[in-house]
Amino acid sequence: MSDYLHIQNIHKDFSGLKVLTGVEFKVTEKERHAVIGPNGAGKTTLLNIISGKFKPSSGAILFKGKDISGKPPNVLNHYGLARSFQITNVFQELSVFYNVLAGVRSHHGLRYNFFKMPDHDRNICEKVESILEDVGLVDVKDQPASSLSYGQQRALEIAITLSTDPELILLDEPTAGMTREETNQAIQMIDKVTAGHTLIIIEHDMEVVFSLANIISVLHYGTILVSDTPEKIRNDQRVKDAYLGEG
Amino acid sequence: MKQKIMPLITIIALFLLGIFMPVILKQYHLNMLTEIIIFALFAVSYNLLLGYAGLLSFGHAMFFGLSAFVTAIAIIHIPGLSLWNVILIGVGAAVIVGFIIGGLLLRHKGSYFALLTLAFNALFYAIATKWHSVTGGDDGLSITRPGLDLGFTSIPLDSLTNFYYLTLVIMGAAIVFCWYFTHTAMGKTVLLMRENEERMKFLGFNTNISRLILFTFTGALAGLAGVFYTLHFQFVSISAISPDMTTAVLLMVFVGGTKKFWGPLLGVFVYIILQNYLSNITDRWPLVIGVIFVLMVLYVPGGLSDVIMNVWQRFFEKKDNNGGKSATAEEV
Ligand SMILES: Nc1ncnc2c1ncn2[C@@H]1O[C@H](COP(=O)(O)OP(=O)(O)OP(=O)(O)O)[C@@H](O)[C@H]1O
Ligand SMILES: [Mg+2]
């Protein structure tokens, strides 16, 4: 029986700078897996490798038993992976509706079609509406993304991530820069929209991590220090020394 | 909804207007109008690259000129070739070359893309100049237009009026398809790639393939315009494939403006009329056009369509000034 996702001994150097030095952990299906670690620990780099933005220097990523490391992001998206970005990465000039439409139509196979107009397809439009409803952006769907508040832009970031109906969702600090209240709302929303999916979430906010995740991996100096349940992590001496103790 | 119906009404109105033109215009002007319609397709295809995809190509004339030459060569060397086959061969050549060169350029954007397209255009120009036995070199090639075979009947095209109507129908249909294209999945894909290519990859789009398809498609359209260029003048010379021709289409599009679909149409109209009148007055007309271009870049970088839109908005859309923002987002 192979694992759902197995990150296997991943190394990554950026021209000499060794950022990841043998990252190893497993994710089971439908798990909510948080990756925590101090600034610059390499969390985003790890996510970039899983999602196909970077090739690892060495190591493998087994997704349902198949090595997917080094595959381009568009192919990984077809396998059912989708990610959000730590720094909001949306289509600023487009309306909120068209931002989400892009991924929904991609998932429906309308990418390079010369004849069909995606915004005339009822199924596609309904799907866009339902995603916008889930993330709370229906009221602003005709506004350009650039006119949204910061919190709304972060919600749009997640909406776009959900738009291709992924089974494995990777979120990179979805609540970064939010106020306490915004964070709480965002977490409730994330909890709801990712139900039934496998989730890997990078997060700084400990409250968020402990409330959302079933398993937490601590990334420290380029390797996983420990990977365990929230209760065990909370009481782990190594984690306290290395990370939790600091802040 | 109004946003989408308006251009369609405009297109139909222009088309109806076009039908009456041979009655109204003298031969000289009908000749000029035919040229305008042919260049309109060339410019619209160029704007799909520049305005929609944000790709600055300095090699669009290689498709136009290649198809123009292939048309002349095919007519000269294959006796009895029907007009449909001439078009097929001419456009086919552009498709093949577009696919091959597009494949080589796939990964490049920005200034590398611009320089490489310029290099390929220069290469094609050099071949056309040197390969005298096939292309006629500096002398060019003369042809006579074949008639139009419709199966049940055949229409001679030696009269300008008949050829004008054929041009109006085929170029018109191609331009309307280009407009339609900008609303299709592929058209939107190209537009979104300009906006945020990285995100498109993460949404499952193969952006390299998209660029290749667009490059080939716009090359084929430029090729179709090139076929009609040769048929219209019944002559083709190396000027059709020279980098100057690329500059000309760039100027046309720029004068009209890249932001609106109809900008290049306006640009072609103004450019060709200006060129015709100026060249009657002075041999230095390229200089005058050059100065106009410089002034436009400095003072009206959005082109004439932008000026018209601003005036329009000032006079007719005074009342709603916050609805404007979402309209722009819809339209792109
Ligand atoms: N493309 C790159 N080229 C060179 N170095 C990089 C690159 N991406 C990341 N790094 C370096 O790798 C290290 C880890 O960066 P990364 O962004 O993965 O950290 P992080 O854990 O996500 O931090 P944060 O919590 O601040 O988001 C940093 O020292 C960073 O400068
Ligand atoms: Mg990060």
mmCIF file of all heavy atoms in Angstrom, chain A residues 43-45 86 172-173 202, ligand 2:
data_model
loop_
_atom_site.group_PDB
_atom_site.id
_atom_site.type_symbol
_atom_site.label_atom_id
_atom_site.label_comp_id
_atom_site.label_asym_id
_atom_site.label_seq_id
_atom_site.Cartn_x
_atom_site.Cartn_y
_atom_site.Cartn_z
ATOM 1 N N LYS A 43 10.067 26.978 3.625
ATOM 2 C CA LYS A 43 8.699 26.466 3.479
ATOM 3 C C LYS A 43 8.158 26.733 2.077
ATOM 4 O O LYS A 43 7.619 25.831 1.420
ATOM 5 C CB LYS A 43 7.775 27.121 4.526
ATOM 6 C CG LYS A 43 8.245 26.934 5.956
ATOM 7 C CD LYS A 43 7.324 27.587 6.960
ATOM 8 C CE LYS A 43 7.241 29.101 6.856
ATOM 9 N NZ LYS A 43 8.496 29.806 7.199
ATOM 10 N N THR A 44 8.312 27.982 1.641
ATOM 11 C CA THR A 44 7.810 28.323 0.307
ATOM 12 C C THR A 44 8.590 27.550 -0.763
ATOM 13 O O THR A 44 8.001 27.064 -1.744
ATOM 14 C CB THR A 44 7.912 29.845 0.065
ATOM 15 O OG1 THR A 44 7.076 30.501 1.015
ATOM 16 C CG2 THR A 44 7.465 30.218 -1.331
ATOM 17 N N THR A 45 9.879 27.413 -0.549
ATOM 18 C CA THR A 45 10.697 26.648 -1.496
ATOM 19 C C THR A 45 10.167 25.218 -1.625
ATOM 20 O O THR A 45 10.043 24.685 -2.730
ATOM 21 C CB THR A 45 12.165 26.634 -1.026
ATOM 22 O OG1 THR A 45 12.612 27.980 -0.906
ATOM 23 C CG2 THR A 45 13.045 25.883 -2.001
ATOM 24 N N GLN A 86 1.895 32.955 -1.387
ATOM 25 C CA GLN A 86 2.097 33.775 -0.185
ATOM 26 C C GLN A 86 1.908 35.253 -0.522
ATOM 27 O O GLN A 86 1.298 35.994 0.232
ATOM 28 C CB GLN A 86 3.516 33.532 0.343
ATOM 29 C CG GLN A 86 3.820 34.235 1.637
ATOM 30 C CD GLN A 86 5.175 33.825 2.203
ATOM 31 O OE1 GLN A 86 5.850 32.950 1.667
ATOM 32 N NE2 GLN A 86 5.558 34.440 3.306
ATOM 33 N N ASP A 172 -0.089 28.622 0.787
ATOM 34 C CA ASP A 172 1.112 29.233 1.356
ATOM 35 C C ASP A 172 0.731 30.474 2.162
ATOM 36 O O ASP A 172 0.450 31.525 1.597
ATOM 37 C CB ASP A 172 2.095 29.602 0.235
ATOM 38 C CG ASP A 172 3.479 29.949 0.777
ATOM 39 O OD1 ASP A 172 3.629 30.034 2.011
ATOM 40 O OD2 ASP A 172 4.402 30.131 -0.043
ATOM 41 N N GLU A 173 0.719 30.336 3.466
ATOM 42 C CA GLU A 173 0.375 31.427 4.394
ATOM 43 C C GLU A 173 -0.849 32.228 3.954
ATOM 44 O O GLU A 173 -0.760 33.433 3.689
ATOM 45 C CB GLU A 173 1.588 32.352 4.576
ATOM 46 C CG GLU A 173 2.752 31.609 5.200
ATOM 47 C CD GLU A 173 3.782 32.547 5.827
ATOM 48 O OE1 GLU A 173 3.375 33.635 6.284
ATOM 49 O OE2 GLU A 173 4.951 32.177 5.875
ATOM 50 N N ILE A 202 0.918 26.096 4.797
ATOM 51 C CA ILE A 202 2.048 26.721 5.470
ATOM 52 C C ILE A 202 1.469 27.864 6.276
ATOM 53 O O ILE A 202 0.656 28.632 5.769
ATOM 54 C CB ILE A 202 3.050 27.268 4.449
ATOM 55 C CG1 ILE A 202 3.661 26.114 3.671
ATOM 56 C CG2 ILE A 202 4.141 28.083 5.146
ATOM 57 C CD1 ILE A 202 4.545 26.564 2.543
HETATM 58 MG MG MG C 2 7.342 31.647 2.461
#
